[in-house]
Amino acid sequence: DAGITQSPRHKVTETGTPVTLRCHQTENHRYMYWYRQDPGHGLRLIHYSYGVKDTDKGEVSDGYSVSRSKTEDFLLTLESATSSQTSVYFCATLLAGTTDTQYFGPGTRLTVL
Amino acid sequence: DAKTTQPTSMDCAEGRAANLPCNHSTISGNEYVYWYRQIHSQGPQYIIHGLKNNETNEMASLIITEDRKSSTLILPHATLRDTAVYYCIVRLVQGAQKLVFGQGTRLTINP
C-alpha cells in the first residue's frame, strides 16, 4: 500500500461527456501510471508520468489525456467519453530503488452508456 | 521486455504448496522477473522479484532456473485468500518502468 486513492470509485456517464479521474498518492513517488483493464485484455498502459509536467503515452492512449501539476496528483481525462472506454481504470505509482515496485490503487469502474 | 508464458489456470488444495510456473526464454541478462497478483476486483499487488538468485519473502519464494529461461513462484502454504490471478512479468529496471501484463494464471485454492 503506497497511500494511493482514486476518485471516483464508480462512475456512470453518457457518451460524449467529458470525464476526469483522479489519482492521489501520499508517498511522493516520482512515477505514476494509468492502466485500464478489460476482460480478455488484462491491464494495458494508457499514459504515465515521470515527474511533474512530464508525461508520455502508453499502448492505448487514443482518446485520453493526462496532467500532472503536482507530485501527488495524476489526472486522467476522457475528453468525450465513448462506450469503448467502459472499463476499470487503475492508477499506479513506482517506488524507484532496490525493488522498483509498482503499487496500485483500488481502481475506478467507469461505465459509458 | 521479454515475453512470458504462463498456464491459464491452476488448482491447489488449501494448506498445500502452490507452484506457479513461468517461461521467459527470451529474457536478457539485465532483465528481472517480477510477480504480481490480482485478487478479484482489486488492484494488482506486488509479490516478489529476482534477477538470477532464488528469493524469498514473507509472501512467497521465487525459484529462477540457472539459464534464467523459466521461473516458479511458490506459495508455501496456500490459503483460500491466495485465490487470484498471478502475473509473471519480465522487465528492465530502468527508465519509466512500464509493466506489461500478460493474461496471467488464475489460481484457485480449494478447501
Side-chain angles (χ1 to χ4, degrees):
Chain A
D1 184 354
I4 302 171
T5 56
Q6 294 184 230
S7 58
R9 294 292 313 280
H10 301 272
K11 186 171 181 66
V12 179
T13 191
E14 294 189 349
T15 298
T17 59
V19 176
T20 295
L21 308 182
R22 179 181 183 238
C23 177
H24 179 77
Q25 57 132 336
T26 60
E27 300 295 319
N28 204 37
H29 290 175
R30 176 183 174 188
Y31 297 96
M32 297 185 76
Y33 309 79
W34 277 108
Y35 292 86
R36 62 177 288 175
Q37 186 169 35
D38 307 289
H41 287 280
L43 282 105
R44 294 180 291 174
L45 181 66
I46 305 171
H47 281 280
Y48 63 98
S49 169
Y50 42 94
V52 173
K53 296 193 188 324
D54 291 323
T55 64
D56 206 347
K57 296 178 179 180
E59 59 181 310
V60 290
S61 60
D62 287 348
Y64 302 95
S65 63
V66 290
S67 65
R68 192 167 178 203
S69 59
K70 299 184 292 184
T71 298
E72 59 266 35
D73 290 324
F74 193 31
L75 304 181
L76 177 71
T77 297
L78 291 67
E79 300 290 347
S80 178
T82 67
S83 59
S84 64
Q85 294 176 311
T86 292
S87 186
V88 179
Y89 291 86
F90 289 100
C91 172
T93 69
L94 177 77
L95 173 62
T98 55
T99 65
D100 287 300
T101 301
Q102 282 200 3
Y103 296 92
F104 286 79
T108 293
R109 183 172 296 275
L110 175 67
T111 301
V112 183
L113 302 176
Chain B
D1 294 333
K3 180 178 171 59
T4 62
T5 303
Q6 300 177 250
T8 302
S9 63
M10 295 182 62
D11 287 274
C12 179
E14 188 178 18
R16 306 296 287 265
N19 297 280
L20 292 89
C22 180
N23 286 321
H24 31 79
S25 58
T26 61
I27 192 170
S28 63
N30 53 355
E31 286 183 309
Y32 285 71
V33 180
Y34 280 74
W35 283 84
Y36 284 74
R37 74 179 182 183
Q38 187 174 24
I39 297 171
H40 182 64
S41 298
Q42 299 180 20
Q45 176 190 25
Y46 166 80
I47 301 173
I48 199 167
H49 80 291
L51 182 61
K52 53 185 176 182
N53 297 320
N54 297 337
E55 302 288 344
T56 296
N57 63 20
E58 65 279 3
M59 291 182 67
S61 294
L62 174 60
I63 308 298
I64 302 174
T65 58
E66 192 169 342
D67 64 7
R68 302 207 326 121
K69 293 184 177 183
S70 66
S71 60
T72 301
L73 178 74
I74 300 172
L75 308 178
H77 304 286
T79 70
L80 298 179
R81 286 178 293 182
D82 292 321
T83 292
V85 178
Y86 288 76
Y87 297 97
C88 169
I89 300 166
V90 172
R91 67 176 175 89
L92 295 169
V93 180
Q94 66 181 38
Q97 313 299 346
K98 295 176 286 183
L99 288 179
V100 178
F101 286 82
Q103 296 302 308
T105 295
R106 183 173 298 278
L107 175 67
T108 302
I109 306 301
N110 300 306

